[in-house]
Amino acid sequence: MRQELVEVLELRACRFEYGMLIGRPPRLDPDGTVRVDGWIWDLEQQGWPDGEIELRAIVHGRYQGRFLMTPGPGSVPPPLEARLVAADLAAQAAAALDEDAVGAGSRP
């Protein structure tokens, strides 16, 4: 999924982080908006916020981890459609991780 996110959003880098949420980086929400400190960031006017941007992988209300994405310097933010595809990819990753956890838990 990391490579797909890099391609869809034209990122410089992307990594997946399991576990607890530490820090408050800017976040790409499932509706394609980006939030910085709780406020909606105007991507079209301001470009990507500085630093890594998180995209949470959540399924059925269960947090599985997050993608931490790094845009290229001076890169133009992708259109809403691409951001929605990225959110869908994160949801697919979360569903796969959830299935793995359920499957592992049901093994004798």
Side-chain angles (χ1 to χ4, degrees):
M1 293 286 171
R2 288 181 300 123
Q3 187 57 39
E4 288 91 343
L5 288 171
V6 166
E7 291 172 11
V8 166
L9 299 176
E10 299 180 11
L11 302 170
R12 182 170 48 119
C14 179
R15 63 188 173 95
F16 188 79
E17 183 177 87
Y18 293 95
M20 311 224 339
L21 293 168
I22 298 173
R24 294 186 52 158
R27 180 176 68 229
L28 176 59
D29 284 336
D31 66 359
T33 60
V34 172
R35 293 186 178 274
V36 177
D37 293 328
W39 295 92
I40 294 177
W41 184 266
D42 187 344
L43 284 176
E44 285 72 29
Q45 293 295 319
Q46 298 174 282
W48 284 113
D50 291 335
E52 290 182 314
I53 300 156
E54 78 172 357
L55 174 58
R56 294 179 180 181
I58 299 172
V59 64
H60 305 299
R62 290 188 296 269
Y63 174 76
Q64 301 295 324
R66 64 184 175 176
F67 291 93
L68 290 166
M69 309 174 299
T70 306
S75 65
V76 175
L80 176 60
E81 294 80 15
R83 299 190 312 264
L84 292 172
V85 168
D88 189 50
L89 288 170
Q92 290 176 33
L97 290 169
D98 193 53
E99 288 174 11
D100 290 345
V102 171
S106 65
R107 291 186 194 134

